[in-house]
Amino acid sequence: MITESVKTILGEDLTNQVEAALKGKGKDGKDVDLVVGNDGTFVPAEKYNGANSGKNSAENALKAAAEALKAIGGSGDPAKIADDVKTAQATIETLRTDHQKEIARIQKNTALRMALADKAHDPADIISLLDLDKIEVDDAGALKTDLDGLLKPLKESKAYLFKPQEPAKNPDIKGAKPADPGARQDPAAKADGPVVI
């Protein structure tokens, strides 16, 4: 699916070419969705969805921090206010740590989904079997970990999760050569004598 904003930028001819190129290239043979960023760049929908999940996680952490701050004060007692501030600071620190862990998980998940898109039937099935603590991503969200090393045991024990490798383009087929379909003759015309039935 290409959005109207992308169609406007690309024009009709180029949009048709891009749609044809993306047709059937997604998960399970579905069409790849394309999203345009605010700066005019094009990104795969998986990467966009990962960034959007990170944004939602940040918004939720901010709301929780705001709720923790609302609980401070109100009684006017300095000792109570000091305790409330300490409690709020501890809550905010916990929320910050949890948010950082959530963002790291989202980045790892997105990087793995993009790396597994053409290798697996359903990347989520494989990601659920991987130890995410062993996965590292760089600041740009690209995988730093050797994915093939992590996938090797899974390919041996659960090969059905992976797409088969493409066979050679022109395999060497041995056997009888089929007849030329253009040189078809009536079998009765070949016989030199009378045909006995």
Side-chain angles (χ1 to χ4, degrees), residues 27 46-47 50 104-120 122-138 141-148 150-151 154 162:
K27 186 172 112 180
E46 288 289 338
K47 192 169 186 175
R105 185 193 66 74
I106 290 170
Q107 286 177 333
K108 289 176 183 181
N109 196 326
T110 300
L112 285 169
R113 281 183 178 278
M114 292 181 67
L116 292 170
D118 60 343
K119 296 179 183 180
D122 186 0
D125 291 342
I126 295 173
I127 292 170
S128 68
L129 298 173
L130 294 175
D131 182 6
L132 290 182
D133 293 334
K134 294 181 179 178
I135 307 294
E136 292 182 26
V137 294
D138 60 17
L143 278 178
K144 289 175 30 179
T145 305
D146 174 32
L147 186 60
D148 292 330
L150 290 173
L151 294 179
L154 287 176
F162 296 89

Side-chain angles (χ1 to χ4, degrees), residues 144-178:
K144 289 175 30 179
T145 305
D146 174 32
L147 186 60
D148 292 330
L150 290 173
L151 294 179
K152 186 176 181 183
L154 287 176
K155 284 183 178 179
E156 292 171 0
S157 64
K158 299 184 186 287
Y160 60 89
L161 293 173
F162 296 89
K163 291 180 181 177
Q165 299 296 329
E166 290 186 27
K169 294 276 182 188
N170 292 322
D172 186 21
I173 300 175
K174 298 184 184 206
K177 182 179 177 186

Side-chain angles (χ1 to χ4, degrees), residues 23-128:
K23 191 164 210 64
K25 301 285 194 229
K27 186 172 112 180
D28 298 329
K30 295 180 182 174
D31 297 347
V32 173
D33 291 336
L34 191 65
V35 180
V36 65
N38 288 339
D39 61 352
T41 58
F42 302 96
V43 296
E46 288 289 338
K47 192 169 186 175
Y48 171 78
N49 291 339
N52 202 28
S53 295
K55 178 184 137 308
N56 291 339
S57 175
E59 288 173 354
N60 291 338
L62 186 59
K63 287 177 186 174
E67 289 296 321
L69 288 175
K70 280 183 186 177
I72 295 177
S75 68
D77 180 18
K80 171 98 170 89
I81 292 174
D83 288 342
D84 288 346
V85 168
K86 287 179 184 175
T87 303
Q89 286 173 338
T91 302
I92 289 172
E93 183 60 30
T94 302
L95 290 170
R96 186 183 66 77
T97 304
D98 291 347
H99 175 66
Q100 288 174 342
K101 288 178 184 176
E102 179 69 12
I103 291 296
R105 185 193 66 74
I106 290 170
Q107 286 177 333
K108 289 176 183 181
N109 196 326
T110 300
L112 285 169
R113 281 183 178 278
M114 292 181 67
L116 292 170
D118 60 343
K119 296 179 183 180
H121 293 291
D122 186 0
D125 291 342
I126 295 173
I127 292 170
S128 68

